[in-house]
Amino acid sequence: MMEQQNYSTDVLVIGSGAAGMMAARAAADKGANVIIADKSLIGRGGATILAQMTVAVALGEQEEDNPEIHFNDTMEGSRGLGDPEIVRVIVERGPDVIREVEGYGVRWARTPDGKRSQVVSPGHSRKRCVYVDILNTGGATSNGLRKAIWKDEKINRLKNVMITRLVRHQGKVIGAVGFSMEEMVPVSISASSVILATGGLTEIYERNSASANMTGDGFILAAEAGAELRDMEMVQFFPIAHLFPPLVGIDPIMWDPFRYKLGGRLLNGEQEEFMNRYAGEVAGKYTATRDMTSYAIFKEVEAGRGTPHGGAYLDFTMVPEEKLREGFGPVIDILRSQGVDLTKEMVEVAPMAHFMLGGVRVDKEMNTSVEGLLACGELIYGMHGANRLSGNAITEALVTGRIAGETAGASSNEKFDDLVKQELETEWEKLQQFWHPKQVAKDETATLEFRRRIQKLMWDEAGPLRSEELLADAQSKIKDLQKECKEFALAKQGKYALAAVEKLEAYNMTLLGDAIIKGAIARKESRGAHTRLDYPEQQEAAVSSSFTLNQDHEWEFSQIELNGK
Ligand SMILES: Cc1cc2nc3c(=O)[nH]c(=O)nc-3n(C[C@H](O)[C@H](O)[C@H](O)COP(=O)(O)OP(=O)(O)OC[C@H]3O[C@@H](n4cnc5c(N)ncnc54)[C@H](O)[C@@H]3O)c2cc1C
């Protein structure tokens, strides 16, 4: 019998970002025993820890606001694809959840009168976004949530455990299997309910704001278990990510919070303001939503009015130095030490893959279409449709995590520990075959280089600007890469074999790339983040793309008319 680790629990949470930690807290509050497993350190992988500033919630502390207005703004921003049921539950529970995490030590910034600070961000019609710090809200949120789950005996934390498969019995999810990355030992976890909180997939693109492990495993785990995915072609591109000059140790999307504070001007290569021609943005203000700004920058570049490196200029030179210093704090000196003096010069910015808009379809209790399986956080579909408003993602993660934990913690499904253990043996054999195929087409150890080829293909041919011709080419190339991925072997594994993880992630990336391309080909319109050069108009009827995975690992695809939703 091989060495293995076998666990049994009431609720298994996979992923420990804001959604996963919140789900673990909520399930334990219901009295359930919980295991939270992550392929990274607990609370330190994924997007949450990277998030910068905004958390949108209708507290109404700086001006009149309520969840109904937040609902309307979000639905409008979604360009007709938001799911009203999901949007409503998130905006309605947002205020309570924001107060709850403050109890765990997430100190929302306050104005001198003691009220929580709230700022406007594009697409929100009110001062709605709370924050801890302009660049560190995600880190502070992770810290607070880690404290909230750390000393609870009901919550067992498994770090560096990659989940590779959900186990099903009679159509129901009964646990999960994977391996401990530190010891390369197989792991099984039997559970009454499984919550997927594995975040997004933007690592699939060459230019991205993600951490390297955001490879979309959860979409594949869910789809392999039979769950339906929606609108996988909808990937948000963050418009003003840093492009040039090269900077070290600076988050490429950090320009956003500074624009909330200081405005800044977006100029084309001819140093003219152009946003007023696309989204009616008033010069020096920051009001256009992300889909419109990304589109506008690409159109300027396409028209030959881009900057030398293919983006737009971001200009703060008209802001007086003391205001700049007040706004940027120590960041202004960090930039200066790298040769960028914002009082005198502009930087170049351009779009970058930032957030997965589509995902696993859930109901308002966060149940997927498969019994025993729930999902939450960036992994789910429904809140953002074709365009996410700034600040709506952390709120989504916190609220949907809490709801998923409550639902799972209150259920009492039967457990099948032995079946899950048995499945581990089968899975471990499959993994060995995947890592070291018997018929090796090519002995290849450079998994990172292989991943770069996927990223480049997705960026060049299925990225921000799409067309039938590019997508058709991408479709055949991604299939070739998928085949190649199955056929190359890893070098002999040592302890903590990172390449084993990277190969699994690369395979998931090819499958997800295929789904994105399929959806993008079928969606013959431009809507929100999805821009088709050959179909520039938005169609009147809104359709949602539906994906399921069949036995042969091929996507079954259809479009569902949303009837004006
Ligand atoms: C740079 C950046 C800045 C952002 N700024 C903001 C902002 O200001 N406001 C806002 O609202 N949103 C922001 N976002 C988006 C927001 O941070 C995310 O949408 C949100 O944090 C997602 O939380 P999550 O819990 O769903 O996923 P994540 O925080 O990504 O956590 C997912 C976890 O799942 C784990 N995992 C994945 N696959 C597996 C597997 N197979 N086995 C085990 N574990 C697995 C990962 O290691 C990770 O720890 C930002 C995102 C980025 C990248």
Side-chain angles (χ1 to χ4, degrees):
M1 184 69 165
M2 63 183 173
E3 187 193 346
Q4 53 179 253
Q5 295 167 9
N6 300 302
Y7 299 88
S8 178
T9 188
D10 298 327
V11 177
L12 165 63
V13 180
I14 305 171
S16 66
M21 288 194 282
M22 198 62 172
R25 181 64 269 147
D29 288 345
K30 287 274 174 199
N33 286 313
V34 180
I35 288 180
I36 181 164
D38 199 297
K39 66 178 174 177
S40 181
L41 299 177
I42 299 296
R44 293 187 188 274
T48 302
I49 195 138
L50 301 176
Q52 294 197 314
M53 178 172 173
T54 46
V55 182
V57 59
L59 290 169
E61 297 199 16
Q62 293 300 325
E63 67 175 308
E64 197 188 328
D65 195 6
N66 61 53
E68 191 59 28
I69 310 176
H70 190 181
F71 173 85
N72 290 334
D73 290 346
T74 303
M75 287 304 292
E76 191 182 328
S78 81
R79 314 288 179 236
L81 289 194
D83 179 335
E85 193 177 71
I86 301 297
V87 176
R88 192 165 289 289
V89 76
I90 292 172
V91 298
E92 282 180 354
R93 292 200 58 180
D96 279 349
V97 162
I98 284 320
R99 291 187 199 103
E100 178 187 342
V101 296
E102 199 164 44
Y104 305 143
V106 182
R107 293 186 202 291
W108 304 115
R110 291 183 183 253
T111 44
D113 57 6
K115 293 180 178 160
R116 292 178 191 84
S117 296
Q118 294 192 271
V119 293
V120 174
S121 69
H124 293 286
S125 61
R126 296 288 193 275
K127 289 183 182 166
R128 181 171 293 143
C129 294
V130 296
Y131 56 93
V132 175
D133 179 318
I134 63 166
L135 289 181
N136 190 35
T137 294
T141 305
S142 280
N143 268 339
L145 288 170
R146 277 204 302 276
K147 282 186 211 144
I149 64 166
W150 220 254
K151 289 196 178 138
D152 192 325
E153 284 179 359
K154 287 191 136 337
I155 304 175
N156 184 5
R157 306 178 311 270
L158 301 182
K159 65 177 177 184
N160 295 330
V161 168
M162 179 170 192
I163 300 298
T164 57
R165 184 109 32 218
L166 301 179
V167 184
R168 275 196 316 166
H169 174 58
Q170 294 175 346
K172 206 179 130 328
V173 169
I174 56 167
V177 291
F179 62 99
S180 153
M181 294 151 60
E182 282 170 85
E183 296 117 16
M184 283 310 284
V185 167
V187 174
S188 82
I189 308 162
S190 160
S192 288
S193 307
V194 175
I195 301 175
L196 277 174
T198 46
L201 54 62
T202 41
E203 173 69 4
I204 201 169
Y205 284 100
E206 187 177 37
R207 248 177 86 71
N208 72 68
S209 64
S211 61
N213 70 355
M214 288 169 63
T215 48
D217 309 353
F219 301 97
I220 302 301
L221 290 169
E224 282 175 339
E228 184 194 5
L229 310 183
R230 287 287 191 91
D231 293 343
M232 294 301 284
E233 68 278 17
M234 289 296 178
V235 180
Q236 179 167 62
F237 297 93
F238 179 85
I240 52 165
H242 189 76
L243 180 65
F244 194 84
L247 293 173
V248 178
I250 291 277
D251 186 334
I253 71 153
M254 71 147 189
W255 297 114
D256 210 29
F258 297 122
R259 286 207 77 196
Y260 299 141
K261 280 188 148 187
L262 302 167
R265 297 186 312 158
L266 209 51
L267 308 175
N268 64 19
E270 292 165 9
Q271 305 202 10
E272 300 161 341
E273 298 205 53
F274 58 93
M275 282 304 299
N276 54 339
R277 282 190 273 118
Y278 296 91
E281 190 169 82
V282 178
K285 297 269 182 219
Y286 187 28
T287 52
T289 49
R290 289 175 175 174
D291 54 345
M292 288 180 170
T293 311
S294 288
Y295 177 76
I297 294 174
F298 279 122
K299 282 311 232 187
E300 289 299 294
V301 174
E302 197 187 38
R305 295 189 293 268
T307 56
H309 298 87
Y313 288 117
L314 181 58
D315 179 22
F316 290 102
T317 55
M318 66 294 176
V319 182
E321 180 156 5
E322 59 289 4
K323 276 204 105 187
L324 266 183
R325 184 158 284 285
E326 196 185 300
F328 276 81
V331 176
I332 199 155
D333 293 323
I334 298 173
L335 289 169
R336 211 168 255 166
S337 71
Q338 299 191 38
V340 177
D341 182 349
L342 291 178
T343 62
K344 297 197 178 75
E345 61 202 309
M346 305 181 285
V347 292
E348 289 181 56
V349 293
M352 164 180 277
H354 181 56
F355 182 85
M356 182 52 177
L357 297 158
V360 180
R361 187 171 68 80
V362 289
D363 64 16
K364 62 181 194 307
E365 272 86 41
M366 303 302 133
N367 297 299
T368 68
S369 48
V370 180
E371 205 186 331
L373 181 64
L374 300 94
C376 54
E378 187 169 335
L379 181 71
I380 66 165
Y381 139 94
M383 175 68 173
H384 318 284
N387 174 54
R388 169 167 82 82
L389 301 188
S390 163
N392 269 353
I394 304 245
T395 313
E396 172 191 48
L398 292 170
V399 172
T400 60
R402 170 141 277 285
I403 297 173
E406 287 171 357
T407 308
S411 74
S412 53
N413 301 326
E414 197 183 343
K415 278 199 277 181
F416 299 89
D417 297 0
D418 288 340
L419 283 180
V420 179
K421 267 191 235 168
Q422 271 167 32
E423 187 60 29
L424 179 59
E425 311 238 345
T426 317
E427 176 67 0
W428 195 240
E429 263 169 43
K430 278 192 199 154
L431 287 174
Q432 298 305 324
Q433 164 64 23
F434 177 72
W435 287 324
H436 304 285
K438 290 203 179 75
Q439 277 148 12
V440 179
K442 144 165 119 169
D443 198 12
E444 159 90 75
T445 52
T447 46
L448 271 185
E449 187 45 43
F450 179 77
R451 279 163 66 136
R452 273 192 207 110
R453 286 164 58 204
I454 303 171
Q455 292 175 314
K456 179 150 176 39
L457 173 68
M458 290 302 293
W459 182 261
D460 289 347
E461 301 192 4
L465 298 181
R466 301 166 171 180
S467 71
E468 193 86 36
E469 201 186 338
L470 286 173
L471 290 165
D473 190 58
Q475 193 163 44
S476 80
K477 285 182 179 155
I478 201 85
K479 285 280 184 202
D480 292 345
L481 284 168
Q482 202 176 103
K483 189 162 171 283
E484 200 181 317
C485 188
K486 284 189 202 152
E487 289 172 352
F488 73 74
L490 299 179
K492 199 165 173 294
Q493 284 172 30
K495 289 226 160 186
Y496 202 98
L498 210 49
V501 173
E502 284 164 0
K503 187 175 179 199
L504 285 163
E505 290 177 338
Y507 181 72
N508 286 345
M509 287 161 75
T510 62
L511 253 185
L512 289 166
D514 190 28
I516 291 171
I517 294 163
K518 237 187 195 77
I521 289 176
R523 190 175 283 285
K524 297 194 187 319
E525 62 169 350
S526 290
R527 185 185 289 267
H530 170 74
T531 302
R532 282 284 302 254
L533 296 169
D534 43 356
Y535 293 98
E537 301 300 323
Q538 178 173 306
Q539 283 187 0
E540 209 162 298
V543 293
S544 179
S545 310
S546 166
F547 301 79
T548 50
L549 207 52
N550 69 22
Q551 298 292 325
D552 302 322
H553 255 202
E554 295 290 338
W555 294 106
E556 303 281 344
F557 175 80
S558 61
Q559 284 187 325
I560 295 164
E561 197 140 338
L562 291 179
N563 302 325
K565 258 191 187 178

